């Protein structure tokens, strides 16, 4: 079996998860290189997993001629530059979202990817590879709910993770880019339309620390898509019960709901608190299978020499919508998107 040799940059919480999948769970992939600006992370992973090469400098990693592909799981501010460097060096590229942290960056990233049509490029919108979300898409295509006309999304982070969100706030791009972009991508995917008009609101209801970055701890957006289709989005960082990702797609003949109760498993606890269903604690736990499936798809695309269904345009358009939400929120105004 041909194995695709991959080097990963970024060994934080999500990068470590991707690295583990590449090293142990994808038969036709080989994690050949790990790279992080933290030497301790590189040494730990190399020693524990027997990884052949380790670097603390990304440019040095790109000189390794054994590699077939590069996996980018570094800080969001580095993505655009690292995508360009990897493609120019002749590698296939998988990049975690976002493409960049400004509209200018994501458009630069698109121009770079478009120049390298001989290479596979894939963006990490992993929810499309979650079994439940993929099943919902299949049911929509089969006509199970008629013509979809509304998508409602909740994207709530647990309040237990708030200090990390505050520390990252200056570079996150704001609530809508950081959190709602996955939901925006899903709405585009399910409705098959692009956004036209956007109005977003929100505030710092529990954590005023976000205010100095013109950000919010909770926010909502109403989006009008082409053909008068609708999107309702609520993103928050103060969920008391855990990580809550919920999506509803309403059509002319019915509706679909995903994750209405973000249950950890099928166990119910009956005690002095009543009947309790524990909730998932974070995105890695909730989308464990999706993260594995999307990377397997990336590897398969390289082997089969075909492009993935999640392409650079999905990143650009979803980012443009997320930034329109940011502009609307900050300016307290309706924003129209021109294509």
């Amino acid at each position: 079996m041909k194995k695709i040799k991959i080097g990963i940059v970024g060994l934080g919480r999500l990068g470590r998860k991707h690295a583990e999948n590449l090293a142990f769970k994808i038969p036709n992939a080989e994690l050949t290189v790990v790279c992080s600006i933290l030497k301790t992370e590189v040494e730990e992973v190399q020693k524990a997993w027997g990884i052949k090469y380790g670097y603390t400098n990304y440019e040095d990693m790109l000189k390794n001629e054994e590699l077939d592909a590069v996996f980018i799981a570094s800080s969001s501010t580095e993505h655009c530059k690292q995508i360009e460097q990897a493609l120019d060096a002749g590698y296939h590229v998988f990049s975690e979202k976002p493409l960049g942290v400004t509209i200018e960056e994501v458009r630069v990233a698109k121009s770079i990817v478009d120049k390298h049509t001989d290479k596979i490029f894939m963006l990490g919108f992993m929810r499309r590879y979650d079994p439940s979300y993929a099943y919902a898409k299949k049911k929509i295509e089969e006509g199970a709910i008629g013509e979809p006309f509304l998508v409602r999304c909740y994207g709530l982070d647990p309040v237990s993770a708030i200090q990390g969100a505050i520390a990252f706030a200056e570079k996150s791009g704001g609530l809508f880019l950081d959190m709602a972009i996955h939901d925006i991508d899903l709405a585009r995917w399910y409705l098959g339309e692009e956004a036209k008009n956007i109005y977003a609101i929100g505030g710092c209801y529990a954590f005023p620390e976000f205010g100095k970055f013109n950000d919010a701890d909770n926010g909502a957006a109403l989006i009008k898509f082409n053909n008068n289709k609708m999107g309702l989005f609520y993103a928050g960082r103060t969920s008391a019960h855990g990580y809550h990702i919920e999506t509803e797609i309403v059509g002319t003949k019915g509706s679909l709901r995903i994750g209405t109760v973000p249950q950890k498993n099928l166990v119910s606890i009956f005690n002095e608190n009543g009947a309790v269903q524990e909730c998932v604690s974070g995105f890695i736990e909730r989308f464990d299978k999706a993260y594995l499936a999307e990377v397997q798809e990336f590897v398969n695309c390289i082997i089969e020499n075909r492009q993935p269904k999640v392409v650079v345009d999905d990143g650009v358009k979803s980012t443009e919508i997320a930034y329109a939400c940011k502009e609307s929120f900050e300016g307290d105004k309706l924003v129209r998107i021109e294509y």
Side-chain angles (χ1 to χ4, degrees), residues 183-189 191-199 221-233 313-314 316-325 334-339:
D183 295 314
I184 290 168
D185 175 67
L186 287 175
R188 294 179 55 251
W189 191 43
L191 296 175
E193 302 288 353
E194 298 299 342
K196 290 175 61 178
N197 300 332
I198 294 165
Y199 186 62
L222 173 64
I223 299 180
K224 180 179 180 180
F225 288 81
N226 289 331
N227 291 322
N228 290 323
K229 295 186 178 184
M230 299 175 284
L232 304 171
F233 303 88
D313 277 350
D314 293 309
V316 173
K317 290 175 181 176
S318 295
T319 302
E320 288 175 340
I321 297 169
Y323 260 94
C325 290
L334 180 73
V335 173
R336 303 182 190 278
I337 295 182
E338 302 293 340
Y339 293 100

Side-chain angles (χ1 to χ4, degrees), residues 1-248:
M1 177 189 296
K2 175 179 174 56
K3 288 200 173 189
I4 303 300
K5 295 186 176 183
I6 299 175
I8 189 168
V9 56
L11 293 172
R13 183 165 53 150
L14 182 53
R16 181 78 172 240
K17 179 63 179 178
H18 283 307
E20 182 181 1
N21 285 339
L22 287 166
F24 302 111
K25 297 183 180 180
I26 299 178
N28 46 2
E30 177 186 307
L31 183 60
T32 307
V33 173
V34 292
C35 179
S36 169
I37 59 174
L38 299 177
K39 187 177 181 180
T40 53
E41 288 184 343
V42 174
E43 292 175 342
E44 178 191 353
V45 171
Q46 273 196 280
K47 182 178 179 180
W49 299 352
I51 305 303
K52 190 172 181 181
Y53 300 104
Y55 299 93
T56 57
N57 182 282
Y58 180 67
E59 286 77 12
D60 289 342
M61 182 184 98
L62 295 180
K63 296 175 184 176
N64 190 313
E65 296 182 355
E66 291 188 30
L67 290 179
D68 299 305
V70 169
F71 196 111
I72 298 172
S74 53
S75 298
S76 299
T77 54
E78 303 301 309
H79 290 185
C80 183
K81 179 178 71 174
Q82 291 180 343
I83 289 167
E84 180 175 20
Q85 290 173 312
L87 288 170
D88 285 347
Y91 298 114
H92 303 290
V93 176
F94 183 106
S95 176
E96 262 301 334
K97 66 89 182 170
L99 281 171
V101 294
T102 67
I103 290 293
E104 292 74 23
E105 277 193 357
V106 298
R107 290 172 179 166
V108 167
K110 172 177 167 53
S111 67
I112 294 162
V113 173
D114 288 346
K115 286 194 306 184
H116 295 276
T117 55
D118 59 324
K119 298 301 176 186
I120 305 301
F121 175 82
M122 185 170 172
L123 188 65
F125 280 143
M126 81 293 180
R127 291 189 196 174
R128 296 195 189 195
Y129 294 90
D130 174 78
S132 296
Y133 281 97
Y135 182 75
K137 176 67 170 176
K138 178 174 179 289
K139 298 305 292 183
I140 290 170
E141 291 174 341
E142 291 173 352
I145 62 170
E147 180 68 18
F149 62 83
L150 183 147
V151 172
R152 174 186 62 84
C153 298
Y154 284 8
L156 309 179
D157 274 355
V159 70
S160 60
I162 195 67
Q163 292 307 317
I166 292 171
F168 183 57
E170 185 176 8
K171 297 182 179 179
S172 73
L175 180 74
F176 296 101
L177 180 67
D178 184 33
M179 294 186 61
I181 194 165
H182 283 294
D183 295 314
I184 290 168
D185 175 67
L186 287 175
R188 294 179 55 251
W189 191 43
Y190 286 140
L191 296 175
E193 302 288 353
E194 298 299 342
K196 290 175 61 178
N197 300 332
I198 294 165
Y199 186 62
I201 56 176
C204 299
Y205 304 103
F207 295 92
E209 294 93 330
F210 292 101
K212 64 181 179 181
F213 305 113
N214 291 324
D215 201 1
D217 57 30
N218 284 267
L222 173 64
I223 299 180
K224 180 179 180 180
F225 288 81
N226 289 331
N227 291 322
N228 290 323
K229 295 186 178 184
M230 299 175 284
L232 304 171
F233 303 88
Y234 166 39
R237 293 168 164 140
T238 59
S239 175
H241 59 276
Y243 181 66
H244 189 153
I245 301 299
E246 179 181 351
T247 305
E248 180 179 22

